[in-house]
Amino acid sequence: MKRAVFLLTALLASSVLSAGLSETDLPSLEKAIHAQVNCERAKAGLGALAWDSPIAEVARKHSRDMAARHFFSHQDPAGREATERAKEDGLILGRDFQMIGENILSISRIRSVRTTIDDEGEHVEVHRRTPEDIAKETVEGWMASTGHRENLLRREFNREGIGVAVDSKGEVLVTQVLISRGEISRSTDD
């Protein structure tokens, strides 16, 4: 019976995960995380980070790569870090930006799963995180980590891009790429 309960719980959780965030939800989640980052910077007396579309694309590609190839690291399996990944998108250290930093985080869409059995049978309750929960908990996670907090609150950074992807297990993978730069010829959105 316990095995049947476990399998049913796993199947239900899997179906809930597959109904998770859609591709159309991800840009609004990225912007919600961006807003949370700027709230933390304001609390620390720092200027807001401007949204940078080319850098957001670098962040998105890294999150998608982590989701597709099932890894979680600042380095991709080929050993490339944020600077090299930005260069692949045509952004060059020293020309397009003076400094780059990166924060990553993995968070489950599922907050909790509770199984109960009564006279009517088995009931499974799955509680998912809302996009607002994910945005808030992502930034809280970065603020609780010394290195990530230092990146997020670094005075020299003035622009950022956020990229979000969801892997096959329902993990939400978030990449934040922060840069310091003046104006460049590529288009950006503030």
Side-chain angles (χ1 to χ4, degrees), residues 7 15 22-23 27-28 33 47 49 62 75 85 91 104 108 110 123 172 175-176 180 183 187 189:
L7 290 174
S15 68
S22 73
E23 285 295 317
S28 60
I33 295 168
L49 296 171
H62 187 58
Q75 285 189 341
R85 293 192 310 270
L91 300 166
I104 59 175
S108 176
I110 301 297
H123 308 280
V172 179
T175 303
Q176 174 191 41
S180 171
E183 294 301 312
S187 79
D189 300 330

Side-chain angles (χ1 to χ4, degrees), residues 62-63 65-67 70-77 79-82 85 102-106 148 173-175:
H62 187 58
S63 290
D65 190 29
M66 289 190 294
H70 308 290
F71 73 95
F72 182 72
S73 175
H74 292 285
Q75 285 189 341
D76 68 15
R80 293 174 301 212
E81 293 186 349
R85 293 192 310 270
E102 180 179 74
N103 287 336
I104 59 175
L105 185 116
S106 176
H148 294 97
L173 300 157
V174 183
T175 303

